[in-house]
Amino acid sequence: MPDAFADHLTDTPPAPENSLAAYTTLRLGGPAGTVTTAVHADEAVATVRNASAKGLPVLILAGGSNVVVGDAGFAGEVLLLRNRGIEVVAEDAATVLVRVAAGEPWDAFVQYAVTNGWSGVECLSGIPGSAGATPIQNVGAYGQEVAHTIEAVRAYDRVADETRTMTPAECGFGYRSSVFKHSDRYLVLSVDFRLDRSTDSAPIRYAELARDLGAAAGDRVPSQQARDTVLKLRAGKGMVLDPEDRDTWSVGSFFTNPVVSAEFFATLTGVPHWPAADGAVKIPAAWLIEQAGFPKGFAGAGVAISSKHTLALTNRGTGTTGALLDLARTIRDGVRDRFGIELHPEPVLINCAF
Protein backbone atom coordinates (compact mmCIF):
# COMPACT_ATOMS: atom_id res chain seq x y z
CA MET A 1 0.00 0.00 0.00
CA PRO A 2 1.35 3.51 -0.72
CA ASP A 3 2.51 5.56 2.22
CA ALA A 4 -0.75 7.15 3.32
CA PHE A 5 0.86 10.16 4.92
CA ALA A 6 3.93 10.98 2.83
CA ASP A 7 2.21 14.14 1.68
CA HIS A 8 1.70 15.19 5.30
CA LEU A 9 5.37 16.11 5.41
CA THR A 10 5.11 18.35 2.37
CA ASP A 11 4.55 22.06 2.79
CA THR A 12 1.10 23.10 1.62
CA PRO A 13 1.28 25.01 -1.65
CA PRO A 14 -0.40 28.42 -1.54
CA ALA A 15 -3.87 28.58 -3.03
CA PRO A 16 -4.03 30.50 -6.30
CA GLU A 17 -5.50 33.98 -6.14
CA ASN A 18 -9.30 33.95 -5.90
CA SER A 19 -9.25 30.18 -5.34
CA LEU A 20 -12.27 28.70 -3.61
CA ALA A 21 -9.85 26.48 -1.70
CA ALA A 22 -9.45 29.42 0.67
CA TYR A 23 -13.12 29.15 1.68
CA THR A 24 -13.57 25.39 2.20
CA THR A 25 -12.46 23.12 5.02
CA LEU A 26 -11.11 20.69 2.42
CA ARG A 27 -8.87 23.49 1.11
CA LEU A 28 -9.80 22.38 -2.39
CA GLY A 29 -11.59 24.10 -5.25
CA GLY A 30 -10.69 26.08 -8.34
CA PRO A 31 -11.10 29.78 -9.11
CA ALA A 32 -14.21 31.87 -8.41
CA GLY A 33 -15.84 34.22 -10.85
CA THR A 34 -16.82 37.08 -8.54
CA VAL A 35 -16.66 36.95 -4.74
CA THR A 36 -18.95 39.15 -2.64
CA THR A 37 -19.02 39.26 1.15
CA ALA A 38 -22.35 40.06 2.83
CA VAL A 39 -22.43 40.99 6.52
CA HIS A 40 -26.15 41.80 6.54
CA ALA A 41 -29.09 39.74 5.31
CA ASP A 42 -30.32 42.46 2.96
CA GLU A 43 -26.88 42.61 1.32
CA ALA A 44 -27.04 38.86 0.75
CA VAL A 45 -30.50 39.10 -0.79
CA ALA A 46 -29.43 41.99 -3.04
CA THR A 47 -26.40 40.03 -4.25
CA VAL A 48 -28.48 36.98 -5.14
CA ARG A 49 -31.23 39.09 -6.73
CA ASN A 50 -28.72 41.00 -8.87
CA ALA A 51 -27.01 37.80 -9.99
CA SER A 52 -30.37 36.32 -10.96
CA ALA A 53 -31.20 39.41 -12.99
CA LYS A 54 -27.93 38.95 -14.89
CA GLY A 55 -28.52 35.24 -15.38
CA LEU A 56 -25.49 34.32 -13.29
CA PRO A 57 -25.31 31.17 -11.18
CA VAL A 58 -24.74 31.78 -7.46
CA LEU A 59 -22.72 29.74 -4.97
CA ILE A 60 -23.38 30.54 -1.32
CA LEU A 61 -20.63 29.76 1.18
CA ALA A 62 -20.38 30.39 4.90
CA GLY A 63 -18.15 27.93 6.74
CA GLY A 64 -17.48 25.86 3.61
CA SER A 65 -17.48 22.70 5.72
CA ASN A 66 -19.93 20.57 3.75
CA VAL A 67 -19.11 21.40 0.16
CA VAL A 68 -16.79 19.89 -2.45
CA VAL A 69 -15.88 22.36 -5.21
CA GLY A 70 -14.49 21.12 -8.51
CA ASP A 71 -10.98 21.91 -9.68
CA ALA A 72 -12.45 24.12 -12.41
CA GLY A 73 -13.97 26.31 -9.71
CA PHE A 74 -17.21 28.23 -10.08
CA ALA A 75 -17.58 30.83 -12.81
CA GLY A 76 -20.57 32.69 -11.36
CA GLU A 77 -21.19 34.82 -8.27
CA VAL A 78 -19.79 33.48 -5.00
CA LEU A 79 -21.54 34.90 -1.96
CA LEU A 80 -19.69 34.69 1.35
CA LEU A 81 -22.41 34.85 4.00
CA ARG A 82 -21.02 36.60 7.08
CA ASN A 83 -24.10 37.94 8.88
CA ARG A 84 -23.97 37.40 12.64
CA GLY A 85 -26.36 37.47 15.58
CA ILE A 86 -28.10 35.42 18.27
CA GLU A 87 -31.41 36.83 19.53
CA VAL A 88 -34.12 35.57 21.89
CA VAL A 89 -37.39 36.29 20.10
CA ALA A 90 -39.84 34.50 22.45
CA GLU A 91 -39.72 32.63 25.73
CA ASP A 92 -41.84 31.01 28.39
CA ALA A 93 -41.20 29.17 31.63
CA ALA A 94 -40.05 25.98 29.89
CA THR A 95 -38.52 27.03 26.56
CA VAL A 96 -36.78 29.79 24.67
CA LEU A 97 -37.03 30.59 20.95
CA VAL A 98 -33.66 31.75 19.63
CA ARG A 99 -33.09 33.32 16.20
CA VAL A 100 -29.61 32.73 14.84
CA ALA A 101 -28.22 34.55 11.80
CA ALA A 102 -27.20 32.22 8.99
CA GLY A 103 -23.56 33.33 9.04
CA GLU A 104 -23.13 32.75 12.78
CA PRO A 105 -20.51 30.04 13.42
CA TRP A 106 -22.45 26.97 14.53
CA ASP A 107 -20.29 25.89 17.45
CA ALA A 108 -20.26 29.43 18.84
CA PHE A 109 -24.05 29.22 19.03
CA VAL A 110 -23.94 25.80 20.71
CA GLN A 111 -21.52 27.12 23.30
CA TYR A 112 -23.73 30.18 23.84
CA ALA A 113 -26.78 27.96 24.34
CA VAL A 114 -25.05 25.72 26.87
CA THR A 115 -23.63 28.72 28.76
CA ASN A 116 -27.11 30.25 28.97
CA GLY A 117 -28.77 27.09 30.25
CA TRP A 118 -30.60 26.09 27.06
CA SER A 119 -30.56 22.47 25.97
CA GLY A 120 -31.27 20.65 22.73
CA VAL A 121 -28.15 21.22 20.63
CA GLU A 122 -25.34 20.31 23.05
CA CYS A 123 -24.60 16.99 21.30
CA LEU A 124 -24.00 18.93 18.08
CA SER A 125 -20.93 20.59 19.58
CA GLY A 126 -17.78 20.93 17.51
CA ILE A 127 -19.48 20.69 14.11
CA PRO A 128 -17.80 23.17 11.76
CA GLY A 129 -19.69 25.57 9.54
CA SER A 130 -22.46 28.09 10.03
CA ALA A 131 -25.90 28.03 11.61
CA GLY A 132 -27.52 28.66 8.23
CA ALA A 133 -26.01 25.50 6.80
CA THR A 134 -27.49 23.24 9.46
CA PRO A 135 -31.05 23.04 8.08
CA ILE A 136 -29.72 22.47 4.57
CA GLN A 137 -28.07 19.24 5.65
CA ASN A 138 -30.34 18.58 8.62
CA VAL A 139 -27.08 18.32 10.51
CA GLY A 140 -26.97 15.56 13.07
CA ALA A 141 -24.54 13.77 15.37
CA TYR A 142 -24.50 11.75 18.59
CA GLY A 143 -28.25 11.23 18.61
CA GLN A 144 -29.34 14.80 17.88
CA GLU A 145 -30.22 16.56 14.65
CA VAL A 146 -31.26 20.14 14.09
CA ALA A 147 -34.73 19.10 12.91
CA HIS A 148 -35.45 18.21 16.56
CA THR A 149 -35.24 21.88 17.58
CA ILE A 150 -35.81 24.01 14.45
CA GLU A 151 -39.11 25.87 14.59
CA ALA A 152 -38.68 28.05 11.50
CA VAL A 153 -36.24 28.97 8.75
CA ARG A 154 -36.24 32.44 7.21
CA ALA A 155 -35.12 32.29 3.60
CA TYR A 156 -35.09 34.32 0.41
CA ASP A 157 -37.01 32.52 -2.33
CA ARG A 158 -35.38 33.30 -5.69
CA VAL A 159 -38.36 32.01 -7.69
CA ALA A 160 -40.97 34.14 -5.91
CA ASP A 161 -38.46 36.97 -5.29
CA GLU A 162 -39.53 37.27 -1.67
CA THR A 163 -38.33 36.51 1.82
CA ARG A 164 -40.46 33.93 3.60
CA THR A 165 -40.59 32.04 6.88
CA MET A 166 -40.74 28.28 6.39
CA THR A 167 -42.10 25.73 8.85
CA PRO A 168 -40.30 22.43 9.54
CA ALA A 169 -42.82 20.66 7.30
CA GLU A 170 -42.04 23.07 4.46
CA CYS A 171 -38.32 22.44 5.00
CA GLY A 172 -38.86 18.76 4.21
CA PHE A 173 -36.33 17.46 6.70
CA GLY A 174 -35.05 13.92 6.20
CA TYR A 175 -31.91 12.00 7.01
CA ARG A 176 -29.15 14.51 6.17
CA SER A 177 -31.43 16.26 3.72
CA SER A 178 -34.01 19.00 3.21
CA VAL A 179 -35.63 20.98 0.40
CA PHE A 180 -32.60 23.29 0.52
CA LYS A 181 -29.88 20.73 -0.12
CA HIS A 182 -29.97 20.14 -3.86
CA SER A 183 -31.62 23.35 -4.95
CA ASP A 184 -30.41 26.92 -5.39
CA ARG A 185 -33.92 28.28 -4.96
CA TYR A 186 -33.48 29.36 -1.34
CA LEU A 187 -30.97 31.52 0.49
CA VAL A 188 -31.17 30.77 4.21
CA LEU A 189 -30.98 34.01 6.20
CA SER A 190 -31.69 32.91 9.78
CA VAL A 191 -32.90 29.90 11.76
CA ASP A 192 -35.21 29.77 14.80
CA PHE A 193 -34.45 27.11 17.40
CA ARG A 194 -36.83 26.12 20.20
CA LEU A 195 -34.64 25.05 23.15
CA ASP A 196 -35.49 23.85 26.63
CA ARG A 197 -34.65 25.98 29.63
CA SER A 198 -32.45 23.44 31.35
CA THR A 199 -28.84 22.98 32.37
CA ASP A 200 -29.32 19.27 31.70
CA SER A 201 -28.97 17.79 28.25
CA ALA A 202 -31.73 16.34 26.15
CA PRO A 203 -32.01 12.55 26.72
CA ILE A 204 -28.84 10.82 25.57
CA ARG A 205 -29.62 8.66 22.54
CA TYR A 206 -26.23 7.61 21.20
CA ALA A 207 -24.57 4.50 22.65
CA GLU A 208 -20.96 5.67 22.25
CA LEU A 209 -21.71 8.98 23.93
CA ALA A 210 -23.66 7.30 26.74
CA ARG A 211 -20.73 4.97 27.38
CA ASP A 212 -18.22 7.82 27.60
CA LEU A 213 -20.57 9.74 29.90
CA GLY A 214 -21.10 6.72 32.13
CA ALA A 215 -24.82 7.10 31.47
CA ALA A 216 -27.62 4.93 30.16
CA ALA A 217 -29.61 5.62 27.01
CA GLY A 218 -32.35 8.09 27.87
CA ASP A 219 -30.46 9.65 30.78
CA ARG A 220 -29.90 13.37 31.05
CA VAL A 221 -26.53 14.76 32.09
CA PRO A 222 -25.31 18.33 32.61
CA SER A 223 -25.26 19.97 29.18
CA GLN A 224 -21.71 21.21 29.68
CA GLN A 225 -20.59 17.65 30.41
CA ALA A 226 -22.34 16.42 27.26
CA ARG A 227 -20.69 19.19 25.22
CA ASP A 228 -17.22 18.52 26.63
CA THR A 229 -17.55 14.79 25.99
CA VAL A 230 -18.75 15.28 22.42
CA LEU A 231 -15.87 17.66 21.71
CA LYS A 232 -13.42 15.07 23.05
CA LEU A 233 -14.97 12.31 20.95
CA ARG A 234 -14.99 14.47 17.81
CA ALA A 235 -11.38 15.58 18.32
CA GLY A 236 -10.31 11.96 18.64
CA LYS A 237 -11.83 11.34 15.20
CA GLY A 238 -10.31 14.43 13.57
CA MET A 239 -13.73 16.08 13.43
CA VAL A 240 -12.82 19.35 15.17
CA LEU A 241 -11.06 21.76 12.83
CA ASP A 242 -7.34 22.15 13.45
CA PRO A 243 -5.20 23.86 10.77
CA GLU A 244 -2.17 21.85 11.86
CA ASP A 245 -3.94 18.47 11.60
CA ARG A 246 -4.62 17.37 8.05
CA ASP A 247 -6.97 14.69 9.30
CA THR A 248 -9.35 17.64 9.77
CA TRP A 249 -8.93 18.89 6.20
CA SER A 250 -12.18 17.25 5.19
CA VAL A 251 -15.93 17.72 4.97
CA GLY A 252 -16.45 15.49 7.99
CA SER A 253 -18.26 12.30 7.02
CA PHE A 254 -18.07 11.98 3.26
CA PHE A 255 -20.66 9.19 3.02
CA THR A 256 -24.06 8.87 4.66
CA ASN A 257 -24.96 5.67 6.48
CA PRO A 258 -26.95 3.62 3.97
CA VAL A 259 -30.56 2.71 4.73
CA VAL A 260 -31.76 -0.59 3.28
CA SER A 261 -35.00 -2.52 3.35
CA ALA A 262 -35.55 -5.21 5.96
CA GLU A 263 -35.82 -7.72 3.12
CA PHE A 264 -32.41 -6.81 1.72
CA PHE A 265 -30.84 -6.75 5.18
CA ALA A 266 -32.04 -10.32 5.75
CA THR A 267 -29.67 -11.40 2.95
CA LEU A 268 -26.64 -10.08 4.86
CA THR A 269 -24.75 -11.83 7.65
CA GLY A 270 -22.97 -10.34 10.64
CA VAL A 271 -23.53 -6.71 9.66
CA PRO A 272 -23.96 -4.15 12.48
CA HIS A 273 -27.11 -2.10 12.19
CA TRP A 274 -29.83 -0.15 13.92
CA PRO A 275 -33.49 0.56 13.12
CA ALA A 276 -34.48 3.25 10.64
CA ALA A 277 -37.88 4.72 9.76
CA ASP A 278 -40.70 2.61 8.35
CA GLY A 279 -39.09 -0.70 9.25
CA ALA A 280 -35.93 -0.06 7.23
CA VAL A 281 -32.42 -0.76 8.55
CA LYS A 282 -29.50 1.65 8.80
CA ILE A 283 -25.97 0.28 8.40
CA PRO A 284 -22.77 2.10 9.48
CA ALA A 285 -20.90 3.18 6.36
CA ALA A 286 -17.59 3.17 8.25
CA TRP A 287 -17.92 -0.55 8.96
CA LEU A 288 -18.77 -1.32 5.33
CA ILE A 289 -15.77 0.68 4.11
CA GLU A 290 -13.33 -1.06 6.45
CA GLN A 291 -14.71 -4.52 5.67
CA ALA A 292 -14.43 -3.79 1.94
CA GLY A 293 -10.68 -3.29 2.35
CA PHE A 294 -10.29 0.45 2.91
CA PRO A 295 -8.72 1.06 6.34
CA LYS A 296 -7.91 4.35 8.00
CA GLY A 297 -5.01 5.94 6.13
CA PHE A 298 -5.81 4.34 2.77
CA ALA A 299 -4.31 6.79 0.30
CA GLY A 300 -4.88 8.25 -3.13
CA ALA A 301 -2.92 10.98 -4.91
CA GLY A 302 -2.39 13.62 -2.24
CA VAL A 303 -5.60 12.54 -0.50
CA ALA A 304 -6.41 9.78 1.98
CA ILE A 305 -8.93 8.35 4.37
CA SER A 306 -8.29 10.02 7.71
CA SER A 307 -6.04 8.17 10.15
CA LYS A 308 -8.67 8.84 12.81
CA HIS A 309 -12.05 8.25 11.13
CA THR A 310 -12.94 5.99 8.22
CA LEU A 311 -15.72 8.23 6.93
CA ALA A 312 -13.51 11.30 6.49
CA LEU A 313 -11.73 11.73 3.16
CA THR A 314 -8.92 14.24 3.59
CA ASN A 315 -6.67 16.52 1.60
CA ARG A 316 -3.11 15.81 2.75
CA GLY A 317 -1.93 19.16 1.39
CA THR A 318 -1.21 18.34 -2.26
CA GLY A 319 -4.55 16.86 -3.25
CA THR A 320 -7.08 17.95 -5.84
CA THR A 321 -10.83 17.60 -5.96
CA GLY A 322 -10.42 15.16 -8.82
CA ALA A 323 -8.15 12.95 -6.72
CA LEU A 324 -10.54 13.13 -3.77
CA LEU A 325 -13.48 12.03 -5.92
CA ASP A 326 -11.38 9.26 -7.48
CA LEU A 327 -10.73 7.95 -3.97
CA ALA A 328 -14.42 8.25 -3.11
CA ARG A 329 -15.41 6.30 -6.23
CA THR A 330 -12.87 3.57 -5.46
CA ILE A 331 -14.39 3.18 -1.99
CA ARG A 332 -17.95 3.30 -3.31
CA ASP A 333 -17.25 0.66 -5.94
CA GLY A 334 -15.46 -1.58 -3.46
CA VAL A 335 -18.36 -1.48 -1.01
CA ARG A 336 -20.87 -2.14 -3.78
CA ASP A 337 -18.86 -5.12 -5.06
CA ARG A 338 -18.49 -6.57 -1.56
CA PHE A 339 -21.96 -5.96 -0.13
CA GLY A 340 -24.25 -4.86 -2.96
CA ILE A 341 -24.84 -1.58 -1.12
CA GLU A 342 -24.43 1.82 -2.78
CA LEU A 343 -22.80 4.58 -0.73
CA HIS A 344 -23.92 8.17 -1.31
CA PRO A 345 -21.98 11.36 -0.61
CA GLU A 346 -23.07 13.57 2.25
CA PRO A 347 -21.57 16.93 1.11
CA VAL A 348 -22.91 19.12 -1.66
CA LEU A 349 -20.89 18.74 -4.87
CA ILE A 350 -20.26 21.94 -6.85
CA ASN A 351 -19.15 21.72 -10.49
CA CYS A 352 -18.03 18.14 -10.00
CA ALA A 353 -19.66 14.70 -10.07
CA PHE A 354 -19.39 11.55 -8.02
Side-chain angles (χ1 to χ4, degrees):
M1 184 184 298
D3 182 358
F5 302 111
D7 291 323
H8 187 86
L9 304 177
T10 305
D11 289 337
T12 305
E17 186 176 356
N18 213 32
S19 169
L20 288 167
Y23 306 113
T24 69
T25 54
L26 266 170
R27 294 165 170 79
L28 295 177
T34 302
V35 178
T36 300
T37 300
V39 297
H40 300 292
D42 56 354
E43 293 174 334
V45 170
T47 298
V48 172
R49 181 180 283 128
N50 290 340
S52 295
K54 296 175 182 177
L56 294 174
V58 179
L59 172 61
I60 300 162
L61 292 175
S65 61
N66 197 51
V67 62
V68 180
V69 181
D71 294 315
F74 185 82
E77 176 75 59
V78 177
L79 171 63
L80 302 180
L81 198 57
R82 298 291 185 261
N83 59 328
R84 300 283 194 268
I86 301 171
E87 176 189 5
V88 174
V89 294
E91 54 188 319
D92 55 36
T95 67
V96 60
L97 185 65
V98 188
R99 181 162 298 157
V100 186
E104 185 71 33
W106 172 252
D107 193 56
F109 166 59
V110 176
Q111 182 179 31
Y112 187 87
V114 170
T115 300
N116 280 275
W118 308 330
S119 73
V121 293
E122 57 283 339
C123 294
L124 301 176
S125 293
I127 293 175
S130 69
T134 62
I136 296 172
Q137 185 75 5
N138 187 16
V139 163
Y142 295 102
Q144 288 182 349
E145 60 185 25
V146 292
H148 296 155
T149 54
I150 288 178
E151 186 158 303
V153 174
R154 183 169 171 264
Y156 170 64
D157 182 340
R158 295 177 67 186
V159 173
D161 190 22
E162 65 180 14
T163 297
R164 54 183 293 205
T165 298
M166 302 174 67
T167 66
E170 290 173 316
C171 293
F173 293 126
Y175 172 56
R176 301 297 177 267
S177 69
S178 72
V179 297
F180 310 111
K181 185 170 182 179
H182 296 296
S183 170
D184 63 357
R185 176 172 178 171
Y186 299 104
L187 164 63
V188 175
L189 302 173
S190 65
V191 187
D192 290 357
F193 295 91
R194 176 73 67 178
L195 304 177
D196 291 336
R197 287 184 175 275
S198 176
T199 56
D200 284 342
S201 70
I204 300 300
R205 296 187 176 97
Y206 200 78
E208 180 187 20
L209 178 58
R211 183 175 63 248
D212 276 43
L213 287 166
D219 284 354
R220 298 176 185 266
V221 301
S223 292
Q224 187 64 58
Q225 182 186 2
R227 172 173 165 77
D228 292 344
T229 303
V230 166
L231 287 172
K232 182 179 177 181
L233 285 168
R234 290 186 65 86
K237 298 174 182 179
M239 293 292 185
V240 176
L241 292 180
D242 178 352
E244 302 303 317
D245 181 0
R246 297 188 190 183
D247 275 338
T248 74
W249 291 21
S250 75
V251 290
S253 297
F254 190 90
F255 297 105
T256 58
N257 292 318
V259 177
V260 302
S261 68
E263 292 76 15
F264 178 83
F265 181 76
T267 68
L268 304 174
T269 303
V271 177
H273 62 283
W274 60 92
D278 301 321
V281 180
K282 188 179 292 185
I283 298 173
W287 186 89
L288 295 171
I289 291 167
E290 291 175 349
Q291 295 301 310
F294 305 104
K296 297 181 182 72
F298 183 88
V303 297
I305 296 176
S306 165
S307 71
K308 301 181 179 73
H309 189 20
T310 312
L311 282 181
L313 306 187
T314 66
N315 170 19
R316 307 315 295 184
T318 59
T320 63
T321 300
L324 187 89
L325 293 175
D326 283 343
L327 175 60
R329 293 185 196 102
T330 297
I331 294 167
R332 176 200 61 194
D333 294 348
V335 169
R336 183 178 56 216
D337 292 346
R338 171 72 174 80
F339 294 101
I341 295 173
E342 189 84 9
L343 293 181
H344 297 283
E346 185 167 320
V348 176
L349 307 182
I350 305 297
N351 201 16
C352 56
F354 171 68

